[in-house]
Amino acid sequence: MSMLGVPSAPTSHTGSVKEPLHLYCLPYAGGSGRVFANWQKLFPPEIKVCCIDYPGHGARRSEPLLDRIDRIADGLAREIASRSHARYVLFGHSMGSLVGFEACHQLARYGAQLPELLAVSGHGGPRVPRSSPPMHAVPDDQFIAHLRELGATPPEILATRELMELLLPLLRADFRACETYEPSWNRKLAVPIAVYGGVDDEDADIAALRGWQSETSGTCVVRMFPGDHFFIADQAEAVPSSLLHDLRETGLRS
């Protein structure tokens, strides 16, 4: 299945729009593109929200899992490069930030059209040292306790042994991908970057978020929202609204 094949929720707008701007949304570790399914109704009709699933996730759960950011990003970059986009944007939260960043560099390597904006959320700059120890290889009880602290996985799922036996390989693969990622690129991206963070996110504080500023030769704006690491859920309308504003600031007419 195509990585770009996960549809967004139906839009409430009517009328045909020529050459829409494609907004590719990349989820956090353990997540599916469906976490962005309601975003379409928050954008004008000329922006097409495309919810991405990584191999082994969501609609692509039958595919083998990948535990390296560069391999996940390369698959995304190859598919984007094969499409005739007039305009597109990448938005990623947490793990999705690293996938989007790496995909931009892969696209540049292929000589493909670059996104008009890279929006990263809930993750410090890719060269900023981690503030917490790696978790992907710790014992199950410690790993599950960490998931409970993060708060993204419903407590009833964490308490169900059968479900966790199915989810743990996926979650560990995603954590391993994030925690072992080291950028191999020394050049700056010729793409503006918008950076979003939660004021209570200890793993991606304002100093870590500012680390993205050294990754682009273009503009880089940092915006903070109330909430912790998963502020995008609490700020379900504010984040898309800010993203739309930043799209317009880059010169896109939307």
Side-chain angles (χ1 to χ4, degrees):
M1 178 180 290
S2 168
M3 187 176 287
L4 309 186
V6 181
S8 63
T11 175
S12 61
H13 301 283
T14 58
S16 60
V17 179
K18 185 179 181 180
E19 295 185 344
L21 168 72
H22 288 74
L23 171 57
Y24 292 113
C25 296
L26 311 170
Y28 46 79
S32 153
R34 290 293 182 184
V35 299
F36 303 105
N38 291 328
W39 275 29
Q40 184 63 74
K41 65 185 180 183
L42 301 175
F43 287 92
E46 57 266 37
I47 295 178
K48 180 181 179 182
V49 176
C50 305
C51 306
I52 303 301
D53 277 339
Y54 308 133
H57 297 63
R60 306 180 67 193
R61 58 186 174 274
S62 63
E63 299 179 31
L65 291 165
L66 300 178
D67 62 359
R68 286 173 44 185
I69 293 293
D70 60 341
R71 292 184 64 194
I72 298 170
D74 187 59
L76 175 64
R78 288 177 182 273
E79 289 207 45
I80 290 176
S82 71
R83 306 248 174 146
S84 56
H85 296 88
R87 306 179 301 166
Y88 74 96
V89 169
L90 296 178
F91 172 90
H93 182 73
S94 195
M95 177 182 177
S97 298
L98 297 180
V99 174
F101 168 76
E102 177 69 19
C104 283
H105 280 289
Q106 298 283 6
L107 286 158
R109 184 182 70 175
Y110 297 142
Q113 178 181 340
L114 296 178
E116 301 201 23
L117 177 71
L118 170 64
V120 294
S121 171
H123 202 291
R127 290 175 226 277
V128 175
R130 292 183 55 84
S131 60
S132 57
M135 298 299 296
H136 67 269
V138 301
D140 284 354
D141 57 348
Q142 189 176 347
F143 189 75
I144 291 171
H146 181 63
L147 295 175
R148 187 173 290 109
E149 291 176 358
L150 289 175
T153 308
E156 58 271 21
I157 292 180
L158 293 173
T160 306
R161 181 178 177 179
E162 294 79 8
L163 288 175
M164 290 310 299
E165 287 178 351
L166 294 173
L167 286 175
L168 281 175
L170 180 151
L171 288 163
R172 285 189 184 276
D174 285 358
F175 273 66
R176 187 180 302 112
C178 296
E179 293 173 347
T180 61
Y181 177 63
E182 295 183 4
S184 60
W185 312 97
N186 294 320
R187 63 178 181 271
K188 294 185 177 184
L189 287 171
V191 176
I193 298 179
V195 187
Y196 306 145
V199 294
D200 298 318
D201 187 352
E202 296 180 357
D203 289 331
D205 60 18
I206 185 67
L209 294 171
R210 286 173 177 158
W212 288 100
Q213 294 173 337
S214 63
E215 301 296 338
T216 178
S217 59
T219 59
C220 182
V221 61
V222 179
R223 303 192 189 283
M224 304 301 292
F225 298 83
D228 55 17
H229 185 65
F230 289 101
F231 66 92
I232 60 167
D234 297 330
Q235 305 296 319
E237 294 188 6
V239 173
S241 177
S242 291
L243 179 54
L244 181 58
H245 171 80
D246 290 328
L247 292 175
R248 289 169 171 160
E249 286 294 300
T250 64
L252 303 182
R253 290 185 293 176
S254 52

